[in-house]
């Protein structure tokens, strides 16, 4: 029997990271044993000079006017831009992924580099444009690796499967913007989104014989035939938690049933925050005047290098590490300002500030000042372990799978594993992975190939409960459940509360909120007071336009119902429908997110 047509499609997995991006490739006909190739990504390092590492730093350098002749006028992505961030931070855009989910910013307006006085306002980038620029460079790399379709027989080649990863904690508006950036960058219209922790798990599964390894883990560490596996994905800009279950297979040789059962809140908290905190600690020890913005940028870059060196140093390595800042201004012979820290001091700052020991019932502080850099709303509490404790509360954990450059040092992974074992009062095993810094892109490519071959997939449902504002009860804002957490994908839920109507030929707006800790999940239409932990999302809006000649409803008010569904890509879709079909009226109006900032 010939392979399915989709099996002949090459597969690309694209990791659009906060700090680094990557592209993984699987050729047509690849199976579960084929190792994805991390593609080399050409990057400018100077006029006429390029390198091609397999990671693209998520930085964009805006050339000066006098550099345009040799570098061009378009923003330059990659290693050149990352190096320039230390010299001229006002000319470098970075953390575009974090800006893409910043709901209080207008993500379609040119605001980056944030706070720059070196880039004219009309020459800046929107978070959407910056994400598009990175994806365009990645996609050019991907397509350059493909054989020409004209040189291949039609039966052995079709357009590629493309899987683009996003944090599991991304809200639906950030997912929509990610897909918009993909379309603008020229990616195929059928590009899929995949949660990053799922990509990590798919990569691990492919490297560890799906059935036998999981069966052994379930037998050794699970309870009642079920293993609860926690994926902690800590990158440069975010901390992403997801919980999976693996249930004993019904017959030998079959794959255990896999399901993603919970995701955490979106946390702007990662390796970048460690760098900023270390830079602040270094700054307090520097003698002399306050640092200029460019000097501060160089100090953050030096802190990043110091952190990576110190966390990988041996326990008996006590040699101080020195950070030197060159003198600024006209006096070129002024002495550089220096400060030294030992690896032990760096480790103490990282562990005490970001990975402190805490009890199982710990909650992240809400009133702590938190780091606020570059205009981004970083988590108020920098203790990643307290956020993790809140996520796993009342949830079993038997195994831990770590991902992200922040967790590359074994010291930090062991702190998480030991705390989980203490909280749960039983051993927690850390699953091994040969490349903890970048399995997301390979996992996404493996997922694309698995889908093409009809392989088993990780089941997952709607990750959040979505609520709409419904006026007030006794002076307290009330909310109606629009779509409960756990609703199967592609399963529409209809909501028709009594008295719900909308004025035609005018925009109708619904305020939307999301929550991840509703237990048990509410029923559609359930009413409750607003909760302080709910995450406000951009309002949903539509113009209920009635075609000319169609009869208008009495007083211009049309009784309506709402229909919500989470699509298989993970995207939320909401429609407004007439409660009773009317001749000449549209069958439904799609509600779209209003993405402009509230104060824009």
């Amino acid at each position: 029997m010939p392979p399915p047509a989709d099996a002949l499609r090459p597969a690309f997995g694209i990791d659009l990271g906060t700090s680094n991006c990557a592209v993984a490739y699987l050729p047509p006909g690849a199976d579960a044993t084929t190792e994805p190739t991390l593609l080399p990504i050409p990057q400018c390092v100077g006029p006429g000079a390029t390198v091609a590492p397999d990671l693209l730093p998520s930085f964009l350098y805006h050339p000066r006017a006098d550099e345009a002749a040799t570098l061009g006028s378009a923003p330059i992505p990659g290693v050149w831009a990352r190096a320039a961030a230390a010299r001229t931070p006002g000319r470098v855009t970075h953390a575009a992924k974090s800006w893409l989910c910043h709901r209080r910013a207008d993500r379609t307006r040119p605001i980056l580099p944030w706070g720059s006085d070196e880039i004219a306002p009309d020459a800046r980038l929107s978070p959407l444009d910056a994400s598009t620029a990175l994806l365009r460079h990645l996609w050019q790399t991907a397509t350059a690796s493909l054989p020409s379709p004209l040189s291949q027989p039609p039966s052995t080649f079709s357009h590629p499967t493309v899987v683009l990863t996003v944090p599991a904690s991304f809200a639906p508006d950030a997912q929509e913007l990610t897909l918009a950036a993909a379309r603008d960058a020229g990616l195929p219209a059928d590009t899929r989104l995949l949660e990053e922790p799922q990509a990590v798990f798919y990569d691990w599964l492919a490297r560890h014989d799906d059935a036998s390894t999981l069966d052994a883990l379930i037998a050794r560490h699970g309870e009642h035939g079920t293993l609860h596996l926690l994926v902690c994905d800590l990158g440069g800009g975010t901390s992403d938690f997801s919980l999976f279950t693996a249930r004993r297979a019904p017959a030998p040789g079959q794959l255990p049933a896999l399901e993603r059962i919970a995701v955490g809140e979106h946390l702007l908290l990662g390796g970048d925050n460690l760098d900023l905190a270390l830079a602040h600690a270094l700054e307090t020890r520097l003698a002399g005047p306050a640092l200029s913005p460019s000097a501060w940028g160089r100090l953050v870059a030096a802190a990043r290098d110091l952190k990576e060196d110190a966390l990988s140093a041996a326990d008996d390595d006590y040699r101080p590490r020195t950070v030197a800042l060159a003198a600024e201004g006209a006096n070129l012979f002024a002495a550089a300002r220096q400060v030294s820290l030992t690896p032990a001091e760096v480790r103490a700052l990282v562990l005490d500030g970001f990975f402190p020991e805490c009890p199982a019932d710990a909650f992240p502080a809400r009133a702590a000042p938190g780091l606020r850099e570059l205009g981004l709303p970083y988590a108020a509490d920098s203790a990643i372990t307290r956020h993790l404790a809140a996520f796993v509360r009342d949830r079993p954990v038997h195994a831990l799978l770590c991902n992200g450059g922040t967790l590359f040092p074994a010291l930090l992974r062991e702190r998480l594993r030991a705390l989980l074992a203490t909280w749960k009062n039983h051993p927690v095993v850390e699953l091994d992975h040969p490349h903890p810094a970048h399995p997301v892109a390979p996992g996404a490519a493996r997922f694309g190939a698995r889908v093409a071959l009809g392989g088993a997939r990780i089941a997952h449902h709607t990750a959040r409960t979505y609520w709409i504002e419904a006026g007030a009860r006794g002076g307290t804002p009330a909310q109606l459940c629009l779509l409960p957490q756990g609703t199967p994908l592609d399963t529409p839920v209809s909501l028709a509360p009594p008295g719900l109507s909308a004025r035609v030929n005018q925009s109708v707006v619904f305020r939307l909120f999301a929550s991840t800790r509703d237990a048990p999940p509410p029923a559609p239409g359930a009413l409750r007071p607003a909760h302080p932990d709910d995450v406000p999302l951009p309002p949903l809006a539509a113009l209920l336009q009635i075609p000319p000649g169609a009869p208008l409803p009495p007083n211009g008010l049309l009784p309506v119902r709402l229909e919500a569904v989470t699509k298989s890509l993970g995207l939320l879709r909401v429609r407004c429908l007439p409660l009773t079909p009317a001749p000449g009226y549209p069958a439904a109006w799609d509600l779209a997110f209003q993405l402009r900032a509230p104060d824009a």
Side-chain angles (χ1 to χ4, degrees), residues 167-449:
S169 54
F170 249 23
D173 54 312
Q175 295 178 349
E176 295 276 8
L177 285 164
T178 303
L179 278 181
R183 289 192 299 269
D184 293 346
L187 274 70
D190 60 354
T191 294
R192 294 172 173 266
L193 294 184
L194 178 67
E195 295 171 2
E196 289 166 5
Q198 288 198 46
V200 174
F201 196 11
Y202 277 117
D203 190 60
W204 184 90
L205 288 169
R207 295 176 184 277
H208 298 81
D209 184 280
D210 294 16
S212 62
T213 303
L214 272 177
D215 280 341
L217 284 170
I218 294 169
R220 182 173 300 178
H221 301 284
E223 293 181 82
H224 310 295
T226 300
L227 179 85
H228 287 78
L229 184 146
L230 172 68
V231 174
C232 287
D233 185 3
L234 273 61
T238 57
S239 295
D240 210 11
F241 307 135
S242 287
L243 190 63
F244 299 81
T245 56
R247 292 183 174 86
R248 184 181 295 120
Q254 294 184 7
L255 184 68
L258 305 173
E259 183 177 0
R260 191 268 286 133
I261 61 172
V263 302
E265 303 290 351
H266 191 68
L267 295 174
L268 282 182
L269 182 61
D272 292 348
N273 301 85
L274 274 66
D275 302 338
L276 291 169
L278 184 55
H280 280 293
L282 292 170
E283 184 184 28
T284 62
R285 302 189 184 195
L286 281 172
L291 297 180
S292 67
S294 61
W296 170 250
R298 293 196 300 273
L299 184 63
V300 172
R304 181 185 304 116
D305 294 339
L306 174 62
K307 175 198 70 178
E308 294 172 356
D309 174 46
L311 292 181
S312 61
D315 290 341
D316 59 355
D317 184 349
Y318 302 108
R319 294 177 296 108
R321 270 54 167 181
T322 299
V323 171
L325 284 182
E328 295 184 288
N331 186 359
L332 299 180
F333 299 100
R337 301 164 67 182
Q338 296 185 353
V339 60
S340 296
L341 287 178
T342 65
E345 289 175 305
V346 175
R347 288 195 291 266
L349 184 146
V350 170
L351 288 174
D352 295 343
F354 294 88
F355 295 86
E357 295 182 349
C358 62
D361 59 356
F363 274 100
R366 300 187 181 279
L371 284 172
R372 293 290 192 271
E373 292 285 340
L374 308 173
L376 289 170
Y378 287 122
D381 192 337
S382 63
I384 292 170
T385 47
R386 285 197 285 268
H387 291 284
L388 181 59
F391 174 69
V392 301
R393 181 174 293 105
D394 303 325
R395 289 168 172 159
V397 178
H398 305 111
L400 171 67
L401 180 58
C402 292
N403 179 58
T406 301
L407 291 179
F408 186 81
L411 171 75
L412 303 185
R413 300 198 306 275
E414 175 56 24
R415 171 59 60 93
L416 294 184
R417 189 209 61 77
L419 279 175
L420 286 165
T422 299
W423 295 339
K424 300 305 175 184
N425 199 30
H426 60 68
V428 172
V429 60
E430 182 191 350
L431 305 188
D432 65 297
H433 201 289
H435 305 294
H438 47 76
V440 172
R446 293 184 191 277
F447 169 78

Side-chain angles (χ1 to χ4, degrees), residues 88-91 113-121 124 293-294:
T88 55
R91 304 200 69 85
W114 178 258
S116 173
D117 57 4
E118 300 182 48
I119 308 294
R124 297 175 189 172
S294 61

